[in-house]
C-alpha cells in the first residue's frame, strides 16, 4: 500500500481505476492494488440481492409513470452526500431502492410513493458494554446509546465486527449488520444472541467494534453512524 499526498490539480481520489484503488483512512490518502475476492453467497447477501431485484421489477412493472416521475423529483429534492462531501442527486430508481432497502431491513413493505421528507434523528452517543454475567459466567454484549428510548418510529441498527486484534483501528470493511431493534428501543440494547449467531462469541482480549445508526420507519431514512469499541475482559 502506497501513501500519497495530492497536489493542486487533483485534490482527492476514490474507487478503482485500472486495477488500482484510491482511498483514504485516518492517516491520509493511499493507493493499493485492487483484489477481487471470491464472491461469497451467504444467506444474507442472497436476500439483499433478491430484494434489490424485486424492487427493480416493481419499478418497471408495478409503479405507474406518474409514480416514477414522483421518485425522480424526490431524488432531485433530496440528494445524498458522496465520499468527498459533495451533494449528488440519485436517479429515480436508485432513490426508490435506497428508501425501500432500509424499510426491508425493518421488516416493512415497500413505499411505491415517495415520502414527504427524509428526516431522521441521529444517535448522540454509543457505547459497547462487554461483561461476564451469571453463574457460571457467560459473556454479555450490550449497546448503550442516547437518546433513549429511540425517537418515535425510529429503530436502532447495530453493525459489528467479529473479534479482532486489539491493535486494529481501521475496520470499515469488517462491519456487518447484526441486529435491528423494534421501534422505540430503550438503552441498553442486548445484542448477545444476535452477535453470537453471526460471529460466535469473541475471545478474551479481542477487540470488538460496533456502529449504531437510527432508521426512520416512516420514510426509510438512515442516520449517520456512531462507532465504539470494547475489549473482551477476563472472567472474574
Amino acid at each position: 500500500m502506497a501513501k500519497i499526498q495530492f497536489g493542486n490539480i487533483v485534490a482527492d481520489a476514490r474507487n478503482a481505476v485500472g486495477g488500482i484503488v484510491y482511498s483514504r483512512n485516518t492517516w491520509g490518502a493511499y493507493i493499493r492494488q485492487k483484489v477481487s475476492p471470491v464472491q461469497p453467497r451467504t444467506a444474507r447477501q442472497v436476500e439483499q440481492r433478491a430484494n434489490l431485484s424485486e424492487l427493480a421489477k416493481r419499478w418497471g412493472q408495478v409503479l405507474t409513470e406518474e409514480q416514477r416521475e414522483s421518485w425522480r423529483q424526490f431524488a432531485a429534492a433530496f440528494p445524498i452526500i458522496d465520499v468527498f462531501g459533495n451533494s449528488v442527486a440519485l436517479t429515480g430508481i436508485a432513490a426508490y431502492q435506497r428508501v425501500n432497502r432500509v424499510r426491508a431491513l425493518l421488516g416493512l413493505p415497500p413505499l411505491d410513493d415517495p415520502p414527504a421528507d427524509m428526516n431522521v434523528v441521529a444517535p448522540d452517543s454509543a457505547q459497547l458494554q462487554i461483561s461476564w454475567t451469571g453463574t457460571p459466567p457467560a459473556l454479555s454484549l450490550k449497546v448503550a446509546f442516547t437518546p433513549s428510548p429511540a425517537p418515535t418510529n425510529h429503530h436502532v441498527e447495530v453493525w459489528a465486527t467479529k473479534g479482532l486484534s486489539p491493535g486494529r483501528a481501521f475496520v470499515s470493511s469488517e462491519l456487518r449488520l447484526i441486529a435491528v431493534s423494534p421501534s422505540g428501543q430503550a438503552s441498553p440494547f442486548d445484542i448477545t444472541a444476535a452477535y453470537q449467531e453471526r460471529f460466535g462469541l469473541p475471545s478474551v482480549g479481542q477487540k470488538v467494534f460496533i456502529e449504531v445508526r437510527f432508521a426512520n420507519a416512516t420514510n426509510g431514512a438512515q442516520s449517520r453512524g456512531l462507532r465504539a469499541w470494547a475489549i473482551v475482559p477476563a472472567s472474574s
Side-chain angles (χ1 to χ4, degrees):
M1 181 179 72
K3 188 175 179 181
I4 59 174
Q5 183 171 350
F6 290 103
N8 295 329
I9 297 176
V10 178
D12 202 349
R14 300 294 172 87
N15 298 328
V17 178
I20 300 297
V21 176
Y22 298 85
S23 189
R24 68 177 295 115
N25 58 24
T26 305
W27 299 277
Y30 67 86
I31 299 175
R32 64 175 174 82
Q33 185 177 10
K34 181 180 180 182
V35 178
S36 298
V38 176
Q39 180 67 280
R41 296 186 180 276
T42 65
R44 190 180 297 267
Q45 287 174 320
V46 171
E47 180 183 353
Q48 290 298 313
R49 291 168 188 159
N51 175 254
L52 289 175
S53 296
E54 179 60 28
L55 290 172
K57 289 180 182 178
R58 291 184 64 86
W59 174 266
Q61 299 175 9
V62 176
L63 270 65
T64 65
E65 182 55 33
E66 288 76 14
Q67 287 174 314
R68 287 190 287 268
E69 180 58 29
S70 294
W71 280 101
R72 296 183 189 108
Q73 295 176 12
F74 171 84
F78 297 99
I80 65 169
I81 304 301
D82 68 9
V83 292
F84 299 116
N86 299 323
S87 178
V88 177
L90 298 174
T91 63
I93 186 173
Y96 175 71
Q97 290 177 317
R98 179 169 177 257
V99 165
N100 286 309
R101 179 188 63 81
V102 174
R103 283 179 57 86
L105 290 177
L106 305 181
L108 300 172
L111 291 174
D112 290 338
D113 294 305
D117 57 54
M118 286 299 283
N119 296 335
V120 62
V121 177
D124 295 323
S125 66
Q127 180 187 25
L128 176 59
Q129 302 170 344
I130 305 180
S131 61
W132 294 89
T133 60
T135 305
L139 197 62
S140 168
L141 293 91
K142 295 181 180 180
V143 174
F145 58 87
T146 57
S148 174
T152 303
N153 293 329
H154 282 56
H155 299 245
V156 180
E157 295 181 7
V158 177
W159 300 66
T161 69
K162 62 185 178 182
L164 301 171
S165 163
R168 287 290 296 272
F170 185 65
V171 297
S172 294
S173 62
E174 300 281 355
L175 289 163
R176 301 291 183 271
L177 178 64
I178 64 164
V180 179
S181 79
S183 178
Q185 174 71 41
S187 176
F189 180 21
D190 193 330
I191 62 167
T192 308
Y195 188 95
Q196 183 171 6
E197 180 181 357
R198 185 64 185 271
F199 296 122
L201 290 178
S203 302
V204 171
Q206 286 190 315
K207 193 177 191 178
V208 177
F209 287 80
I210 55 102
E211 181 169 296
V212 176
R213 305 176 192 172
F214 288 170
N216 188 339
T218 303
N219 56 17
Q222 191 178 52
S223 78
R224 61 173 172 78
L226 280 184
R227 290 187 191 176
W229 58 266
I231 292 178
V232 180
S235 172
S236 59

